[in-house]
Amino acid sequence: MAVFCQSPLNLSLITSSRNPNPNPSFRLNLSAHSRTLVTEPPPVFTCVKSFAPATIANLGPGFDFLGCAVDGIGDYVTLRVDPDVHPGEVSISDISGAGKKLNKNPLWNCAGIAAISVMKMLNIRSVGLSLSLQKGLPLGSGLGSSAASAAAAAVAVNELFGRPLGASDLVLAGLESESKVSGYHADNVAPAIMGGFVLIRSYDSLELIQLKFPHEKELFFVLVNPEFEAPTKKMRAALPQQITMSHHVWNCSQAAALVAAVLQGNLSVLGKALSSDKIVEPRRAPLIPGMEGVKKAAMEAGAFGCTISGAGPTAVAVTDNEEKGREIGQRMVEAFLKEGNLKSSAMVKKLDQVGARLVSSDPR
């Protein structure tokens, strides 16, 4: 397993990402050949609680290389030093909310895998940890459920030991988790940890570019989740093995337009690009009952654009007005029922610019 340490350069880049007036983007280079901490840090808290937001991956033409974080919904992890757990190990004591059916074995649970990965990076050998996972995101929803759990767990372990690791290390820990449960792609876990829009420029070695959406611009996501599960494995199996040159050129141009629109805060262009995927969405939409009708209803109701969130089945539309977003959501809910015979629920959320974070802590 490759493990990583934060460099001074990356630390300055991470700091700039939280500045309200930074450069429009910044880049993280994540080496695939780093080492664990030599000295084991002592825990600075007895217990911490962390939160990681939902994410929207792909964003239409950005399959596997573009995603963003969504404010107000996500997963919580409570982590504590536990003398009953063998030193250097983690135990999952409880899973509540939407994830009650998840495996409590940390080797087969996305939160557990990420927590173990961070513990190895920190060379933790003297204490054991117990983890409680509160799932706020439904499984198989297309909202980055597994990534949120992994991100929250990675941040929790790092915070418990005084935050010695930077965002790049935590992304890698989350990516290790994602690779075991849903595939080697960072377009959910990177924005879940870093916040905002994140572009994966390279997977070999991993290089991330955070795209700064202008703070003065309004952006709302209309998320409509039907009562239907779309497992990532099944949805990835539907993808074409070959594509035409014309579709390749088209999708590249739409992805480039999408990135430019994010940096400019141009929702009209963002929406058009979001809605224009000719490779992935055409294969996945037929597997989600009513999706084509839902997209049409969103556009007719005034959305700038609409597509499938991640692997689905959640549909996501974009607008610049919260009240308008509620109207669009209602039309999308009606379309899911009419066109797909599926009950669904709608919510309107802003972009999460912060990413995974500490919620509370108990000092030693």
Side-chain angles (χ1 to χ4, degrees):
M1 180 193 71
V3 290
F4 305 80
C5 290
Q6 184 68 44
S7 70
L9 174 61
N10 284 344
L11 282 172
S12 64
L13 292 174
I14 290 297
T15 301
S16 71
S17 75
R18 305 301 166 89
N19 187 326
N21 295 299
N23 293 328
S25 66
F26 80 90
R27 181 174 301 177
L28 281 175
N29 286 294
L30 288 75
S31 169
H33 301 284
S34 296
R35 55 187 176 81
T36 60
L37 295 185
V38 175
T39 304
E40 175 184 358
V44 298
F45 302 110
T46 58
C47 179
V48 297
K49 185 175 184 179
S50 62
F51 169 81
T55 48
I56 301 168
N58 302 340
L59 295 167
F63 177 72
D64 272 8
F65 65 83
L66 191 60
C68 67
V70 177
D71 185 49
I73 51 173
D75 289 357
Y76 291 87
V77 162
T78 300
L79 188 76
R80 67 182 69 251
V81 176
D82 191 338
D84 293 328
V85 178
H86 191 276
E89 296 182 1
V90 61
S91 171
I92 298 178
S93 58
D94 180 64
I95 301 176
S96 61
K100 292 181 180 179
K101 295 181 180 179
L102 291 175
N103 196 327
K104 287 186 179 181
N105 185 334
L107 299 177
W108 296 98
N109 180 286
C110 48
I113 296 168
I116 292 169
S117 181
V118 175
M119 290 178 73
K120 288 182 178 180
M121 291 180 186
L122 298 179
N123 197 28
I124 303 302
R125 299 178 180 179
S126 63
V127 298
L129 307 177
S130 62
L131 182 154
S132 175
L133 173 62
Q134 181 183 343
K135 290 292 297 178
L137 297 174
L139 306 180
S141 61
L143 292 172
S145 177
S146 61
S149 297
V155 165
V157 176
N158 193 42
E159 293 286 347
L160 191 76
F161 293 95
R163 200 189 301 175
L165 301 178
S168 60
D169 303 279
L170 303 183
V171 170
L172 286 159
L175 185 55
E176 180 173 340
S177 172
E178 285 282 83
S179 68
K180 293 183 179 179
V181 298
S182 62
Y184 195 83
H185 50 87
D187 48 343
N188 285 116
V189 74
I193 288 172
M194 300 166 63
F197 287 90
V198 180
L199 168 70
I200 294 87
R201 195 208 68 80
S202 170
Y203 279 98
D204 184 23
S205 61
L206 189 64
E207 184 178 334
L208 309 174
I209 302 174
Q210 189 164 38
L211 309 173
K212 299 303 294 184
F213 185 84
H215 281 263
E216 67 275 12
K217 299 282 189 175
E218 293 283 2
L219 170 59
F220 293 92
F221 299 104
V222 184
L223 300 165
V224 180
N225 179 232
E227 294 180 357
F228 180 80
E229 190 167 338
T232 300
K233 185 176 181 179
K234 176 182 177 182
M235 300 304 278
R236 292 184 81 87
L239 301 179
Q241 296 299 307
Q242 296 181 330
I243 60 172
T244 65
M245 180 62 73
S246 62
H247 282 177
H248 164 71
V249 172
W250 173 264
N251 263 45
C252 285
S253 66
Q254 300 312 304
L258 184 58
V259 170
V262 167
L263 296 177
Q264 296 169 354
N266 187 330
L267 289 195
S268 177
V269 175
L270 191 155
K272 289 177 183 178
L274 186 86
S275 305
S276 299
D277 173 34
K278 287 187 176 182
I279 296 174
V280 177
E281 185 180 313
R283 293 297 189 99
R284 287 179 166 176
L287 302 180
I288 304 172
M291 181 62 209
E292 293 181 10
V294 170
K295 182 173 181 177
K296 181 180 179 181
M299 302 300 289
E300 291 178 348
F304 288 109
C306 179
T307 189
I308 302 168
S309 177
T314 295
V316 55
V318 291
T319 183
D320 59 358
N321 181 277
E322 187 173 9
E323 182 59 36
K324 185 68 174 178
R326 284 192 281 268
E327 296 175 11
I328 294 169
Q330 181 57 38
R331 298 294 178 270
M332 293 169 71
V333 167
E334 292 170 358
F336 258 128
L337 188 60
K338 180 181 178 181
E339 304 291 338
N341 196 31
L342 292 176
K343 293 181 180 179
S344 60
S345 58
M347 51 188 166
V348 182
K349 299 293 182 181
K350 285 189 171 185
L351 179 71
D352 184 308
Q353 300 269 27
V354 179
R357 60 266 199 184
L358 181 69
V359 174
S360 63
S361 60
D362 294 334
R364 290 183 61 83

